[in-house]
Amino acid sequence: MNRDELQHALQDFHGLGNIEKLDSDDALRVTEQPRLVSRFYDAVTSFYEFGWGATFHFSPRRPGENLRSSQQRHEEGIAKLLRIGPKMIVADVGCGVGGPLITIGRSTGAKIVGINFNAYQIQRGEKLIDQAGLGDSCSFLYADFMDVPLKDGTFDALYSFEAICHAPDRKRTFCELFRLLKPGAEAAFIDWTLTDKFDASNTSHVQIRAQIERNNATPDLLSADEYVAAVESAGFEVVEKLDQQVVVGDPSTPWYMALEGRDFSISSAARTPVGRSFTAVLTRILERLKLAPKGTSETSRILNAAADSLTEAGKLGIFTPSFLVHARKPS
């Protein structure tokens, strides 16, 4: 993406606020929200890659485990859960730039198809696949995952890491994914949900939720029960449902520690209070010198606000990024 394209994406991103304006019109939301989410990722993908590498999801952490190690263990664990192996054709729904796709493709020998509605991320992902030597087994499909141009029963399994929360119609999304699976095949959905501790009558909880939704392009977050109901409404049999952060994670290494700059790395240092201040000053200077697109510093500020609201929600226990639904399409 060149400088002018990024600037247009940044301008679109700052016009989203934004995306919750679509809530009053269901038909418009279904048609427009995917496009707006794509523009969001045009704007933030470079920031995400700097802070997270090629993998844009949280993971249950173990003591002494760094962010990338936890992500890789999480991804390989999902592959084992679904019994993914050679000769299988598997979908990675909302695959980002392909970090999990590469990990799972390399560890299992399966053919992985990453479904993504963002052309820039696909462009980045294709380069990463080539660098990993997986060009013969891993690929991308540019498509809205509510309407995928593939025949019924294409996939032997599918998974999604923290992506369906962006969909404007979850039931429609799960119905489409149900269609794409072979009878008897299984799926793993790991996603953002509100927990039982979320209190809709608590003004603070509601405000934090609104900040998460607005700054992460994830409008209308579901509760865990609502999420499970949406999966079941598509025809899936739910094999297992759990908040991995509670069941698998360790309380001494909470998922949001990465957002607080508590990982020992250069990218993590940028998330500390000092690092954030430095980044804010630097991006403003680069904009003035026209070395960075207009809107870069504002994007950085919004992502910091997003990190703050996620951290606050994590500390209160009202939100999880790792709710797992393991489901099966009946035979």
Side-chain angles (χ1 to χ4, degrees), residues 19-211:
I19 202 168
E20 71 268 15
K21 294 177 182 177
L22 300 179
D23 287 350
S24 61
D25 189 327
D26 289 341
L28 182 63
R29 185 171 68 247
V30 169
T31 58
E32 285 298 295
Q33 187 174 310
R35 183 187 66 81
L36 293 177
V37 170
S38 180
R39 296 303 276 169
F40 168 81
Y41 276 107
D42 281 342
V44 305
T45 292
S46 295
F47 287 86
Y48 280 12
E49 285 193 88
F50 174 75
W52 296 81
T55 299
F56 303 161
H57 67 76
F58 296 97
S59 296
R61 303 279 288 269
R62 292 176 178 171
E65 187 177 52
N66 64 31
L67 176 64
R68 182 56 198 134
S69 295
S70 71
Q71 290 170 330
Q72 183 172 338
R73 175 177 51 77
H74 190 189
E75 292 155 10
E76 292 176 348
I78 293 300
K80 291 178 182 177
L81 178 71
L82 297 176
R83 299 183 296 280
I84 296 175
K87 299 182 180 180
M88 292 179 69
I89 301 175
V90 180
D92 181 325
V93 180
C95 59
V97 298
L101 181 155
I102 290 170
T103 297
I104 293 175
R106 180 184 286 139
S107 65
T108 65
K111 291 187 175 181
I112 315 290
V113 179
I115 300 173
N116 194 328
F117 195 55
N118 182 270
Y120 175 62
Q121 288 192 337
I122 289 177
Q123 179 185 1
R124 292 286 301 127
E126 287 174 340
K127 292 180 180 178
L128 294 174
I129 283 177
D130 287 341
Q131 291 171 7
L134 295 173
D136 291 336
S137 59
C138 295
S139 61
F140 292 91
L141 174 65
Y142 178 79
D144 179 346
F145 44 63
M146 293 188 300
D147 184 17
V148 182
L150 294 173
K151 65 180 182 180
D152 295 0
T154 293
F155 296 112
D156 298 297
L158 64 80
Y159 62 85
S160 178
F161 284 97
E162 303 178 28
I164 295 172
C165 54
H166 293 296
D169 187 333
R170 271 68 159 202
K171 181 177 179 180
R172 178 172 169 179
T173 299
F174 289 124
C175 285
E176 179 69 347
L177 300 181
F178 183 89
R179 180 186 71 79
L180 293 171
L181 274 180
K182 293 178 180 177
E186 296 183 358
F189 306 112
I190 305 97
D191 220 341
W192 292 18
T193 67
L194 303 170
T195 72
D196 292 341
K197 292 183 179 181
F198 177 81
D199 181 358
S201 66
N202 185 311
T203 302
S204 177
H205 289 192
V206 173
Q207 290 175 342
I208 294 169
R209 172 185 179 173
Q211 286 293 321

